[in-house]
Amino acid sequence: MSLAQLHYTSAPPGPDGSGFRFTAVSPGVPQTVLREAEQLIGYEPPRDLPARPDAEELKAFPKAFSCTELSDGGRLLSRSVYTGADYSGRWGNFHTHALHLPAGTRLPDGALPITAWESPRWADATPPDGRPEPVDRFEPSGLLRRDGLVAFARSRADRLAAFFADLAALAGDADGRQIVVVERDSADVAQWIALACAVLPRERAHLLTFTTYTRRPQQARQQIVGVLPSSEPVGHDPRFRVHDCTARPGPDAGPVADAWADVCARIWTAGRPDLFRGTSGDLGPLAVAALVTGVPLRADARAAAAHWTAAHAPTVPEETLTALIAALTEQSATGAGQQYGTAGTPPDGEPAALAALSERLDGQVPTAVSAPLAAHVLAAAVRGRGALPALGAGSLTPALRAELARDLAPVLRQGVGDPTEPAAGRPLALLRVADLLDVDCVDALPALAGRLARDLVGGRPADPAAAREPEREPSGPTGPGHTPGPGSGSGHGPDSGTDSGHWPDSGSGPGHGSGTDQSSPSSRGSGPGSGSGAALGHWPGFGSGPGHGSGADPSSPSSRGSGHGRGHAHGSSSGQTPPPGTGRQLDGGRMVCPPAVLDAVHGHPALRTALFGALDALAAASPAWVAGRLAGCGLPVPPSPGFPHLRMCLQTAGAGRTGDRLARFHGLLRTAGVSPHAAPDVLCTAFQLVWPDGPPGAEEAALLLSELGSDAHRQAGTRDALVEAALAAPADDPAVPVLAADLLRCFTTELRPAHRAPLLLLEYAGLLDGDHDVENWVDHVCGLRDGAPEPVPEPATRRVHDALARRLLAVAAPGTDPYAPPRPPAPESELYTLARAGDPGLLAAYERVARGDRVAERLRTVPGYVAACFCDWSAYPRPYGGWETTRTTLLAKVLRPVVRALPAEDQRAVEEALHRVGRGRLDAYRAWNRPGALGRLAGRLTGRGRREDRQAPWTGDVEPPAGGGRE
């Protein structure tokens, strides 16, 4: 096929005119092409070259070799040279020899347009006969050979990547900015174009338009425009990207972000342009080819190669994989190829890409091929704190495993014990790596297990009741006479006690700590300041004082905290949001263990034992809190024997709180697998798990004391829990007096004064309700109550007051057999003592009982009881203000309604009973009960309207009405 040719120059006059015109045209070239080509063809000589050059000087003028796209989709490939003077002697003539390539056609043999640079087929003058010689092929000139282009690329190495980056942008966007290349020789521009065509895909290179020279780049239509330094500058025109190879690089010149451009530059400077052959222009396969042939690449290009290989692993030959892995590991380890920088594309993606490739190849190719990459990824992740790969036993060869174990052992041991990392995260992953490499990390396991346990239960239990806890006097082994040992030391500052950055729940109060050693179970003690204050200080009454906690390490299995005061509030918290950094996850509202922890529990016996031990210590320190946090977590129950506290917490976490609490308590002790007498701390743990929010009931406490004995409670530190059960029980609980008596009997010398007085009152209340032979009821009660070093709890006070009132009113206590014989009347001296004392609490209890159903029932059914109550409530008027108010209220509000409703027969029985007492009582009753006389009698009884009697009445006297009873 002969190519259509055009010759254009300044010619003498002829049929087509004179001046610049087409002087030779191949047949068949459309006129539209000629008209458009005439607009494109032109040549302006450089201004800095001679205006009238001789033949030798003409050789220095640039050659404008151009490939321009035509409007019909074809191409115009032209070569313009300066010829000096024309036929008339006028300077400025040039000659253009052009080829017209219609749309869809190419040069013979599919040659790229740039390969026709300076081909011998180009003519510098019009053919003599005006007919272009047929051209069926273009022989290369040899000026753009491989070695010459490699040498040129190396001479422009610092500018290659930036040029290729602009070329990529231009190739990807048809409307992209034109590239202006400034060189002193148009031949150098041609070499730039040859470099560009080599890196582009073949199809895209055929479409590249260019010109090696123009004096007016703003008017050029080509994508790559070559100019000389003397050409018109483009300034800051945004349409152009200028690469001035005649000047020094500017201050903003630096590494480019485009990894593909950087790879292309490295391949050219490495002298391997053959790698571009057959590539699609994608970064991945190009980077793979470069790495396999030993071309050093930077990190982002290596990452691209790894990603591409992972996606195409089945199609990559084993030899290529072997060479690629060797290059990736070597260059990644040494940081090769970083001299170009990363310019906004940091190498952070390379470890992830290599890890993904390693995971993709693991098990899919022979271990000998993939093991070096797996070893490199593992070592880089361990040293660089990256994501650790999940490797199996067959991922590494024995030699590589031994080498990694030798090199990574110190880093692994340090990482497993790193306290700054979440324990369920990197340290646990490093432990798996250590197991894979047979690196012994046993020394770091206790600390890791402790942090895992603290993260697993998470959070700090709050203690809203801590501020309300009354201060109590220490007694017993840690009382005033106790001298701390060398390992103890009490602190009451805000920084004392356990480090709050670790486990906060070893019984520490708000800001007070004790450094007492808790290594032995007996360190809990029985006195205040023993473990009872720390272990059972989560509801009022437990503990020995406010805010004194333990500074013991909670990771010790026995440390339950010592010192006065309570710990933090304990209870189920499975519905709470996990604190940040604990590693716990929410699953439909349930707290679950991280899978990594469960895997470690099932697959690492040494860690499992250490973790269960740490959790057992935390469970012993705060059982209810730990049980709540472990509810539904999926942690397996450890085998027996061992870890009794943890097993009890896990059993509680899976069970409800309803049902027989004593049965649950004994079930927990059976779960512990150890006798509470041999290990008293399990008794304390069971206490907190069964009664996390308050003390046991009085009946439950009495049974626990009788079943287990005082020694077990004394050693476990649960004595104060039993005391609180008695003090906090409702006033109508019949089991309280018996419990109080047992506590006074079992802990005779150990009870603090603040506990002893209320228990004595409760015991005395039982004696009063049981009609025991006791004397001076009122004085005894007031003496015990008022002599207590601390205010007596309200339930205890109410119980003894009510018991005394029932004894004075001769009514049975609640729960008494209704068929029991009536109680004997109270001595008159007790009522007189009550009236004289005027104690508001006693009087209020007396009135409360007198208004009760039992008194009302007796008044309605026993006339003699009506008479007795009238005698009592009409006695001792005026001098005792509190009693005066109480008795007149009872006469008016309690007795009168009953008397008004009595039948005549009962009325007579009442008067007969009063007559037996004395005529004065009967007269007073009749006057009080006379219709219409209530107001007058009340006035007389209270002394209103008469002079003050200065002499107190005798005991039992009833003051007669004024005027001798006459109206």
Side-chain angles (χ1 to χ4, degrees):
M1 179 188 72
S2 179
L3 298 175
Q5 304 177 53
L6 300 88
H7 289 264
Y8 186 87
T9 187
S10 178
D16 298 326
S18 61
F20 284 101
R21 60 186 176 86
F22 288 103
T23 56
V25 178
S26 298
V29 178
Q31 288 296 320
T32 54
V33 172
L34 294 177
R35 286 193 296 269
E36 185 176 1
E38 192 170 11
Q39 301 299 320
L40 299 175
I41 293 173
Y43 187 97
E44 292 183 86
R47 293 176 178 175
D48 58 344
L49 293 183
R52 296 186 177 189
D54 55 24
E56 192 63 29
E57 290 173 332
L58 280 175
K59 296 179 182 179
F61 278 69
K63 298 174 180 61
F65 182 58
S66 304
C67 181
T68 309
E69 184 179 11
L70 300 176
S71 57
D72 63 355
R75 291 285 193 277
L76 185 68
L77 186 63
S78 62
R79 174 180 179 271
S80 299
V81 295
Y82 188 64
T83 58
D86 63 2
Y87 67 94
S88 64
R90 183 177 56 192
W91 291 91
N93 191 21
F94 65 90
H95 177 269
T96 298
H97 185 187
L99 297 179
H100 174 233
L101 301 175
T105 62
R106 297 176 181 173
L107 291 177
D109 301 327
L112 293 173
I114 190 61
T115 60
W117 166 260
E118 292 305 284
S119 171
R121 293 284 184 169
W122 294 113
D124 293 340
T126 302
D129 57 358
R131 295 180 181 179
E133 295 182 4
V135 176
D136 56 358
R137 60 187 301 271
F138 263 83
E139 298 87 353
S141 66
L143 299 178
L144 298 180
R145 294 185 182 278
R146 175 183 180 278
D147 294 341
L149 290 176
V150 169
F152 176 80
R154 289 172 176 170
S155 68
R156 304 293 195 277
D158 56 340
R159 304 177 186 272
L160 285 177
F163 174 78
F164 290 140
D166 289 339
L167 178 67
L170 183 65
D173 184 4
D175 297 327
R177 296 192 293 178
Q178 296 170 266
I179 299 175
V180 176
V181 179
V182 183
E183 286 282 2
R184 300 186 186 280
D185 190 343
S186 59
D188 293 338
V189 177
Q191 295 190 85
W192 275 112
I193 298 170
L195 297 181
C197 290
V199 302
L200 289 175
R202 189 76 174 179
E203 293 297 323
R204 188 66 190 82
H206 275 289
L207 300 178
L208 185 68
T209 61
F210 56 82
T211 181
T212 59
Y213 167 72
T214 179
R215 203 172 85 176
R216 302 179 189 273
Q218 294 91 342
Q219 300 177 7
R221 294 170 47 178
Q222 293 83 3
Q223 293 171 307
I224 299 179
V225 179
V227 298
L228 298 183
S230 60
S231 298
E232 293 183 0
V234 296
H236 299 286
D237 193 326
R239 296 176 300 163
F240 302 98
R241 281 285 296 169
V242 178
H243 294 267
D244 189 352
C245 301
T246 64
R248 285 190 171 187
D252 57 343
V256 298
D258 192 329
W260 176 84
D262 184 77
V263 171
C264 291
R266 292 171 184 271
I267 290 176
W268 267 117
T269 55
R272 295 302 305 268
D274 55 297
L275 300 179
F276 297 117
R277 192 175 302 124
T279 61
S280 62
D282 294 335
L283 172 60
L286 185 63
V288 169
L291 288 168
V292 169
T293 55
V295 177
L297 302 183
R298 70 188 193 191
D300 52 355
R302 296 195 296 267
H307 283 306
W308 185 88
T309 306
H312 301 81
T315 64
V316 180
E318 184 175 315
E319 297 79 6
T320 302
L321 278 177
T322 302
L324 174 64
I325 289 173
L328 285 173
T329 55
E330 179 183 358
Q331 294 187 24
S332 178
T334 61
Q338 296 305 313
Q339 66 270 22
Y340 278 80
T342 57
T345 49
D348 298 346
E350 182 185 15
L354 295 181
L357 176 59
S358 176
E359 182 180 2
R360 179 68 178 84
L361 298 179
D362 192 16
Q364 304 299 316
V365 299
T367 303
V369 176
S370 61
L373 179 61
H376 170 77
V377 169
L378 181 61
V382 170
R383 293 192 179 100
R385 305 181 67 83
L388 294 167
L391 301 181
S395 300
L396 300 170
T397 62
L400 282 174
R401 184 181 294 109
E403 181 181 353
L404 287 174
R406 182 180 64 254
D407 296 341
L408 299 181
V411 183
L412 288 172
R413 295 190 181 102
Q414 181 181 4
V416 170
D418 187 358
T420 63
E421 291 281 352
R426 186 171 181 81
L428 206 56
L430 289 174
L431 183 62
R432 291 195 300 270
V433 174
D435 291 342
L436 176 66
L437 302 180
D438 294 330
V439 174
D440 184 8
C441 295
V442 66
D443 293 341
L445 290 184
L448 175 62
R451 292 188 292 118
L452 279 173
R454 289 191 291 271
D455 287 348
L456 194 60
V457 298
R460 173 190 290 272
D463 184 15
R468 302 193 302 266
E469 178 72 16
E471 181 109 20
R472 295 186 170 97
E473 286 288 332
S475 63
T478 56
H482 173 66
T483 302
S488 66
S490 61
H492 302 279
D495 297 326
S496 304
T498 306
D499 180 7
S500 61
H502 295 281
W503 176 246
D505 255 345
S506 56
S508 60
H512 301 272
S514 166
T516 308
D517 182 14
Q518 301 290 316
S519 58
S520 66
S522 61
S523 65
R524 294 200 181 97
S526 58
S530 68
S532 64
L536 297 176
H538 54 285
W539 33 264
F542 278 60
S544 308
H548 301 273
S550 168
D553 180 7
S555 62
S556 170
S558 302
S559 71
R560 205 179 272 271
S562 70
H564 314 294
R566 71 176 111 260
H568 301 274
H570 302 264
S572 177
S573 60
S574 60
Q576 296 182 3
T577 300
T582 63
R584 290 169 58 84
Q585 303 168 351
L586 282 172
D587 180 17
R590 295 188 306 107
M591 306 297 287
V592 297
C593 285
V597 176
L598 291 178
D599 292 344
V601 168
H602 292 293
H604 199 294
L607 179 63
R608 178 173 62 246
T609 301
L611 176 60
F612 283 164
L615 284 173
D616 190 68
L618 297 179
S622 301
W625 173 262
V626 173
R629 302 298 287 181
L630 296 182
C633 70
L635 194 69
V637 178
S640 180
F643 319 113
H645 307 279
L646 178 59
R647 288 206 310 278
M648 288 192 287
C649 286
L650 289 174
Q651 175 177 321
T652 302
R657 292 191 177 185
T658 59
D660 187 348
R661 296 193 294 186
L662 281 177
R664 288 170 46 211
F665 176 82
H666 290 297
L668 287 177
L669 290 183
R670 288 192 296 271
T671 299
V674 60
S675 169
H677 298 282
D681 51 354
V682 301
L683 173 59
C684 187
T685 298
F687 245 90
Q688 293 189 69
L689 291 174
V690 178
W691 294 281
D693 303 318
E699 184 178 4
E700 294 172 328
L703 289 174
L704 290 172
L705 181 58
S706 63
E707 291 174 358
L708 298 174
S710 61
D711 287 343
H713 290 285
R714 183 179 292 109
Q715 295 177 15
T718 55
R719 178 208 64 207
D720 284 351
L722 303 178
V723 172
E724 189 64 27
L727 300 185
D732 58 352
D733 191 338
V736 171
V738 177
L739 174 60
D742 290 345
L743 290 171
L744 290 167
R745 173 178 50 82
C746 294
F747 304 106
T748 305
T749 62
E750 303 166 32
L751 293 172
R752 296 186 293 114
H755 284 167
R756 182 179 298 278
L759 291 176
L760 288 172
L761 282 171
L762 293 174
E763 181 188 37
Y764 196 70
L767 296 177
L768 290 174
D769 278 336
D771 294 333
H772 292 274
D773 187 13
V774 291
E775 300 178 349
N776 301 324
W777 307 338
V778 177
D779 288 341
H780 193 79
V781 169
C782 291
L784 286 176
R785 183 197 63 192
D786 299 339
E790 294 181 8
V792 177
E794 194 275 337
T797 303
R798 183 184 178 98
R799 172 180 286 276
V800 72
H801 286 177
D802 287 354
L804 177 58
R806 287 191 294 267
R807 189 67 182 269
L808 289 171
L809 290 166
V811 293
T816 305
D817 185 0
Y819 300 104
R823 303 185 73 175
E828 291 186 6
S829 60
E830 294 297 340
L831 184 64
Y832 172 71
T833 305
L834 174 67
R836 183 186 63 188
D839 186 88
L842 288 174
L843 292 176
Y846 186 85
E847 181 177 342
R848 181 170 59 251
V849 174
R851 287 173 174 265
D853 294 340
R854 290 180 177 271
V855 170
E857 181 66 22
R858 287 201 69 186
L859 288 174
R860 287 193 297 268
T861 59
V862 182
Y865 190 65
V866 175
C869 286
F870 178 79
C871 292
D872 288 347
W873 296 347
S874 60
Y876 319 120
R878 294 183 304 138
Y880 311 113
W883 167 250
E884 183 70 14
T885 302
T886 301
R887 75 176 188 83
T888 55
T889 300
L890 295 177
L891 284 171
K893 303 295 184 182
V894 176
L895 193 57
R896 175 163 292 282
V898 173
V899 170
R900 288 287 180 87
L902 289 176
E905 182 182 356
D906 288 346
Q907 288 280 10
R908 289 192 297 273
V910 172
E911 291 185 356
E912 290 174 1
L914 290 172
H915 181 72
R916 288 192 295 270
V917 175
R919 181 66 186 179
R921 297 294 179 93
L922 177 58
D923 292 342
Y925 174 75
R926 288 174 174 171
W928 171 77
N929 194 35
R930 185 182 305 146
L934 178 60
R936 293 189 296 275
L937 178 60
R940 294 187 185 109
L941 290 176
T942 57
R944 295 194 298 269
R946 61 187 300 276
R947 66 180 179 84
E948 184 73 22
D949 189 354
R950 299 181 182 277
Q951 182 177 2
W954 296 344
T955 302
D957 265 1
V958 177
E959 183 178 4
R966 302 181 183 86
E967 295 295 334

